[in-house]
Amino acid sequence: MTSTLLQAVVGSPSASSAQPSDVAAKAHHNKNGKGFINPWPSYGERGAFEMFRKIIWARLSGEWKDPDTTPPTVPVRKPTFLPSRQTEKLRATWLGHACYYVEFPGGLRVLFDPVFTARCSPYQWIGPKRYTDMPCEIEDLPYIDAVVISHNHYDHLSHPTLQKIAHKHKNTHFFVPLGNKPWFRHMGLDDTNVHELDWWEEKEIKLSPSDRGESNSEQKDITATIGCLPCQHTSARTAFDKAHTLWASWSVSSGGKKVWFGGDTGYRTVPELPKEEFDYGEKYADLPHCPAFKQIGDLRGPFDLGLIPIGAYDPRYLMSNMHANPYDSVNIFVDTKCKRALGIHWGTWVLTSEEVMEPPRVLKKALKWKGIEDESVFGTCDIGDSREVE
């Protein structure tokens, strides 16, 4: 395989995409303190003490039981990547949890939320440990032009992983929500190629061969537009910095294809209910849902592929404000106008109490509930598997 070195230039796009009429108000910026907020009635704040107290009680009462991770769970396969940048189809490979490696027509290669460690934790001796193996190593990825980070939680932003990327792929550009660039410098990483964006902002990246020699004479310039978009979540690296940095979903457009990456998000906040009660029943039809996803679909869609979270949602009354369950996920799928979607944010670490293989099963039920008969439009795959999108 011949690897063509591409030099990247990042700047503002020549033509800006549509934005909401109230974007200048920056309602998600915390006007009464540091950092950011979720500015919608769909988000119900859960204080750290309240969360801790309810989780402890749920465990003591037996409501929260750690799911069984005894194999077999999610199959893990060794991924295959295209041998060159000369591609005609959009191709997405799941590398576990929220991490996808996407190969765009025309040559762009993007890595979303990479975490290539055994644990998603500040320490590798404590914290959630993988119950499925990593399908490959960073060193196995042939090209990484851009790394897109949704937010700074440990299952989405990994210092050891970014160290490896910076060492192996020195020309990679990193796209992060507001407030995250100083972290790179603090962790001893070069922040020269780190680009901070606010919701609804975009950057254009142009990649050109650095040497027009015979080995890369077939490589054409690559252009992509990367947009930072809203989602309903929060951020923290410690117990003392909640919401100090922004969280986001993202769009990436290149080679005539467009991808929406949901990262990690909730859709509505559900109260504590009897376990058997369906929170999308008529009784709860008036619970507010996040309006940002319909805005994304109306203003930036449609998308050829959505990477949408489907896991880490139980107990629902504790997690719904930040984590979508599959019923939320299909609503997000429709709102954002994705033509096809793949489920993320499951199958790797135990973060909540649902059974580890439950999300894809419930996703099929949710699609039927939404009146979507073709299950192939929004599905899941094995870790390490790839899906092509026409």
Side-chain angles (χ1 to χ4, degrees):
M1 178 182 66
T2 300
S3 178
T4 302
L5 180 63
L6 298 182
Q7 298 292 344
V9 175
V10 177
S12 298
S14 55
S16 298
S17 300
Q19 297 180 338
S21 59
D22 61 350
V23 68
K26 296 188 180 296
H28 59 292
H29 288 228
N30 188 354
K31 309 298 193 295
N32 301 311
K34 187 173 183 178
F36 305 91
I37 62 170
N38 290 285
W40 314 287
S42 57
Y43 180 79
E45 183 62 59
R46 307 279 200 233
F49 176 75
E50 177 191 12
M51 288 284 289
F52 179 77
R53 179 176 59 82
K54 288 192 173 184
I55 288 173
I56 292 298
W57 172 248
R59 286 186 174 277
L60 290 174
S61 66
E63 178 188 356
W64 184 316
K65 295 179 180 178
D66 289 334
D68 183 11
T69 59
T70 304
T73 55
V74 186
V76 179
R77 310 187 187 283
K78 183 175 178 59
T80 58
F81 305 109
L82 298 175
S84 77
R85 292 181 181 270
Q86 308 306 315
T87 59
E88 296 182 357
K89 295 181 179 179
L90 182 70
R91 188 172 185 267
T93 304
W94 188 33
L95 301 179
H97 199 54
C99 182
Y100 255 90
Y101 182 72
V102 179
E103 297 162 297
F104 284 81
L108 182 74
R109 303 296 185 254
V110 180
L111 188 61
F112 293 93
D113 278 4
V115 180
F116 283 71
T117 54
R119 296 182 186 270
C120 58
S121 166
Y123 310 104
Q124 287 304 296
W125 53 270
I126 194 172
K129 187 176 182 179
R130 287 178 180 266
Y131 61 86
T132 49
D133 293 334
M134 289 188 293
C136 65
E137 298 286 348
I138 286 293
E139 290 78 7
D140 298 320
L141 302 179
Y143 315 97
I144 305 177
D145 300 313
V147 172
V148 173
I149 302 292
S150 63
H151 66 298
N152 72 357
H153 283 157
Y154 285 93
D155 55 325
H156 298 261
L157 177 63
S158 163
H159 176 242
T161 301
L162 297 192
Q163 277 184 313
K164 290 182 180 180
I165 293 172
H167 176 74
K168 171 73 174 175
H169 301 272
K170 299 186 185 300
N171 292 330
T172 298
H173 283 252
F174 300 85
F175 295 84
V176 300
L178 279 186
N180 284 286
K181 184 170 182 174
W183 176 86
F184 283 76
R185 191 180 308 117
H186 175 71
M187 299 303 292
L189 297 165
D190 184 4
D191 66 357
T192 305
N193 290 347
V194 178
H195 310 279
E196 278 189 339
L197 283 77
D198 200 354
W199 289 353
W200 300 105
E201 290 182 344
E202 294 178 306
K203 289 291 184 183
E204 186 176 76
I205 180 170
K206 294 183 178 180
L207 300 101
S208 303
S210 60
D211 175 14
R212 294 286 183 177
E214 181 179 353
S215 64
N216 59 29
S217 60
E218 297 300 317
Q219 178 61 56
K220 298 179 180 179
D221 292 351
I222 299 170
T223 302
T225 301
I226 298 179
C228 182
L229 294 167
C231 67
Q232 181 172 296
H233 200 59
T234 190
S235 64
R237 296 291 280 185
T238 73
F240 308 102
D241 65 346
K242 183 178 179 181
H244 285 192
T245 62
L246 188 58
W247 48 97
S249 67
W250 292 85
S251 65
V252 180
S253 177
S254 185
K257 294 295 183 181
K258 191 186 296 185
V259 171
W260 181 70
F261 174 64
D264 196 354
T265 187
Y267 187 69
R268 58 213 282 268
T269 299
V270 175
E272 191 167 359
L273 308 174
K275 192 169 181 62
E276 67 279 1
E277 193 158 5
F278 182 48
D279 61 63
Y280 267 106
E282 185 177 348
K283 185 177 178 182
Y284 304 102
D286 293 333
L287 286 179
H289 66 269
C290 182
F293 302 107
K294 189 173 189 307
Q295 282 188 318
I296 290 169
D298 290 343
L299 297 174
R300 298 289 173 89
F303 298 94
D304 298 287
L305 177 65
L307 303 174
I308 301 178
I310 63 169
Y313 49 78
D314 267 349
R316 186 88 164 116
Y317 68 92
L318 288 177
M319 299 298 167
S320 59
N321 63 334
M322 293 192 300
H323 288 169
N325 77 353
Y327 290 92
D328 298 325
S329 305
V330 296
N331 278 324
I332 292 170
F333 170 70
V334 171
D335 286 354
T336 52
K337 298 183 180 178
C338 291
K339 298 175 185 177
R340 288 190 59 189
L342 290 164
I344 64 171
H345 207 257
W346 74 285
T348 307
W349 292 287
V350 170
L351 303 176
T352 47
S353 64
E354 75 271 8
E355 295 178 20
V356 297
M357 297 302 292
E358 182 179 287
R361 292 200 304 266
V362 177
L363 177 60
K364 292 181 179 181
K365 296 178 182 179
L367 288 167
K368 291 180 180 178
W369 164 81
K370 194 66 176 177
I372 301 172
E373 296 299 327
D374 184 1
E375 293 180 356
S376 69
V377 301
F378 188 174
T380 60
C381 64
D382 296 342
I383 296 173
D385 265 359
S386 303
R387 294 289 184 269
E388 288 188 344
V389 178
E390 297 288 346

